[in-house]
Amino acid sequence: MMASSSSSSSLSNLSLQISILLLIFPLTFCKISSPNQEPLVFSLKTKNVPQSSSDKLSFRHNVTLTVSLSVGSPPQNISMVLDTGSELSWLHCKKAPNLGSVFNPVSSSSYSPIPCSSPICRTRTRDLPIPASCDSKTHLCHVAVSYADATSLEGSLAHEIFVIGSSARPGTIFGCMDSGLSSDSEEDAKTTGLMGMNRGSLSFVNQLGFSKFSYCISGSDSSGILLLGDASSSWPGPIQYTPLVSETTPLPYFDRVAYTVQLEGIRVGSKLLSLPKSMFVPDHTGAGQTMVDSGTQFTFLMGPVYSALKTEFMAQTKAVLKVVEDPNFVFQGTMDLCYRVGPLTRPNFSRLPVVSLMFRGAEMSVSGQKLLYRVNGAGLRGKDQVYCFTFGNSDLLGVEAFVIGHHHQQNVWMEFDLAKSRVGFGADVRCDQASQRLRSRN
């Protein structure tokens, strides 16, 4: 997800976040080789599953990627949105009418707020979009988060015991939020907070000590697999890697702890868009970086690149798709290419051209049903269904970046390798079968 701050930040539009529900049950570690520690392997599914003797969890990509775990002493059951686009993990710590779940720090003997004088407050918060400050009344380290959907939260940085499966992680750093404003009360009713998974010092994956994690989201039945740690020996398929882009100089619009890769071009069918590579390179302000973000549902391109893709896609599909002519119909305010489809039919997905995102050393192909998304056509005349192109305009989103969302990651093995500074794409993967195969191995 992306923060609304104009400084380095991750996309935080809660209405466009990855849709996955992840349910955790007591686990025991499985044996997959790792140079540092054994990884956690999660089988992911849409519904509650019986307790298992292996490190397997279930998820459904529907609204958000939600992890259920316990925190504190004695343990309190909570749920957190898993977000690869954020660093700071946080929990709601004060009851409110719209909150369905909160963490009560007063009831936990292991809860330990971090004072302003702590080196953690002074140095490890340096990559947060909103700098940490000192609360003059409590002398505690004060943190805040602000998102593009108008959600903003404030609270204190603290240590606590987080229990994931059978593994207790004492001293985990998080934000205990006791004030703020949310624009999505329905989402608040479902979750207790957010688990940040980017490259920052305070991200959950870095605090756990894992240098790699992977996931695979099914495009057919909402099942999949999530692995924390090095699971390369468990996945035999070929993976294309693209290096992460690093920027040592602080820039206004460059998120230095995001999973940033270099997009070099886009192909529609067999035609390469006639765009100079310079259009895909961040400028002197950092605007124009390409981020792989599980917290964003669709893919967003900078204005000129999006316009070129939109024009070419319309040209190649004019014989099979009927464009919605109403200029005021823009899905979620950011996706302005939509199509009318008869009330009893579906688009002919097989006749749509493949859109290929060409990265340095790797390629991601978007085809078939991943190109169009059925939306609510309320406000349009007639009974036609409405499908919108699953690429949007970053300019309309208010984000100065290219963002690769989770919808285009379906049936792609996604690997985030922090140790080797790269992101891997394993194409043409049946994620439901991958889940079954890894389940049978462990």
Side-chain angles (χ1 to χ4, degrees):
M1 298 189 298
M2 285 186 140
S4 61
S5 171
S6 60
S7 61
S8 57
S9 60
S10 57
L11 180 60
S12 181
N13 187 334
L14 295 183
S15 66
L16 296 175
Q17 47 193 300
I18 184 170
S19 310
I20 303 173
L21 175 63
L22 184 58
L23 305 174
I24 295 186
F25 298 89
L27 311 171
T28 58
F29 292 103
C30 61
K31 298 184 181 300
I32 298 179
S33 60
S34 172
N36 299 315
Q37 61 174 305
E38 292 180 340
L40 295 173
V41 182
F42 307 111
S43 175
L44 311 169
K45 196 173 177 60
T46 181
K47 59 183 180 181
N48 294 351
V49 295
Q51 180 174 324
S52 171
S53 61
S54 60
D55 295 323
K56 296 165 185 172
L57 310 177
S58 295
F59 84 78
R60 176 185 177 89
H61 53 95
N62 185 18
V63 176
T64 52
L65 175 60
T66 306
V67 181
S68 298
L69 61 160
S70 60
V71 175
S73 304
Q76 301 176 38
N77 294 328
I78 64 165
S79 59
M80 305 176 75
V81 174
L82 187 65
D83 180 21
T84 63
S86 296
E87 177 177 0
L88 181 66
S89 300
W90 55 263
L91 297 173
H92 289 294
C93 292
K94 185 178 181 179
K95 289 185 178 180
N98 63 316
L99 298 179
S101 174
V102 298
F103 169 69
N104 185 358
V106 177
S107 300
S108 174
S109 61
S110 53
Y111 175 79
S112 176
I114 295 174
C116 303
S117 58
S118 169
I120 294 174
C121 186
R122 296 197 307 267
T123 62
R124 292 190 65 184
T125 60
R126 62 184 179 273
D127 290 322
L128 298 180
I130 301 177
S133 60
C134 185
D135 189 313
S136 59
K137 294 182 179 179
T138 64
H139 301 291
L140 297 179
C141 189
H142 181 267
V143 290
V145 291
S146 179
Y147 301 114
D149 71 334
T151 295
S152 60
L153 298 163
E154 299 183 31
S156 299
L157 206 62
H159 287 119
E160 186 54 282
I161 296 175
F162 279 65
V163 180
I164 301 180
S166 61
S167 177
R169 306 282 178 163
T172 300
I173 301 169
F174 75 107
C176 193
M177 304 310 205
D178 54 16
S179 65
L181 172 68
S182 174
S183 65
D184 195 340
S185 58
E186 182 179 350
E187 197 58 48
D188 284 334
K190 300 176 184 177
T191 60
T192 320
L194 180 142
M195 182 183 290
M197 291 286 284
N198 71 8
R199 302 163 67 191
S201 170
L202 291 179
S203 75
F204 207 76
V205 66
N206 274 328
Q207 289 196 62
L208 292 181
F210 289 110
S211 61
K212 181 188 292 185
F213 66 96
S214 310
Y215 57 74
C216 191
I217 309 167
S218 173
S220 59
D221 62 0
S222 301
S223 64
I225 192 82
L226 168 67
L227 304 99
L228 300 180
D230 187 357
S232 56
S233 61
S234 289
W235 184 250
I239 297 179
Q240 297 180 6
Y241 291 98
T242 185
L244 289 170
V245 176
S246 297
E247 176 58 61
T248 57
T249 304
L251 299 173
Y253 295 103
F254 195 95
D255 186 344
R256 293 188 293 168
V257 292
Y259 294 103
T260 301
V261 296
Q262 186 56 63
L263 181 64
E264 295 186 329
I266 299 176
R267 190 173 59 247
V268 182
S270 60
K271 184 174 180 179
L272 181 67
L273 296 184
S274 299
L275 297 171
K277 287 189 176 182
S278 60
M279 294 190 71
F280 299 95
V281 177
D283 64 18
H284 66 284
T285 69
Q289 73 181 117
T290 300
M291 297 181 284
V292 182
D293 185 6
S294 72
T296 302
Q297 184 173 3
F298 301 111
T299 293
F300 293 89
L301 308 174
M302 297 286 282
V305 175
Y306 170 75
S307 296
L309 172 60
K310 174 183 174 181
T311 298
E312 184 59 32
F313 189 81
M314 290 177 64
Q316 293 193 29
T317 58
K318 61 183 179 181
V320 294
L321 293 174
K322 182 180 179 182
V323 176
V324 172
E325 299 293 350
D326 186 348
N328 296 318
F329 188 86
V330 181
F331 176 55
Q332 293 186 341
T334 59
M335 302 166 76
D336 60 359
L337 177 55
C338 299
Y339 298 94
R340 290 182 178 271
V341 179
L344 302 177
T345 61
R346 299 181 67 200
N348 190 341
F349 294 110
S350 63
R351 296 185 62 185
L352 302 182
V354 176
V355 176
S356 299
L357 303 176
M358 304 165 67
F359 302 98
R360 184 178 299 163
E363 188 171 306
M364 175 185 284
S365 296
V366 181
S367 61
Q369 296 185 42
K370 288 194 288 185
L371 288 166
L372 299 178
Y373 187 82
R374 185 179 174 184
V375 305
N376 187 343
L380 294 177
R381 293 183 178 180
K383 299 181 179 180
D384 287 346
Q385 303 174 82
V386 177
Y387 286 77
C388 291
F389 192 40
T390 52
F391 289 85
N393 189 337
S394 293
D395 293 352
L396 296 178
L397 189 65
V399 174
E400 298 288 335
F402 298 90
V403 185
I404 312 301
H406 89 277
H407 186 76
H408 293 160
Q409 299 173 31
Q410 293 177 5
N411 286 330
V412 177
W413 186 267
M414 299 296 302
E415 180 179 290
F416 298 80
D417 190 337
L418 284 74
K420 295 184 178 179
S421 295
R422 62 185 186 177
V423 173
F425 304 94
D428 300 322
V429 177
R430 283 288 304 274
C431 294
D432 51 346
Q433 294 181 1
S435 176
Q436 296 173 8
R437 181 160 56 247
L438 287 168
R439 186 185 301 118
S440 65
R441 290 185 180 188
N442 299 288

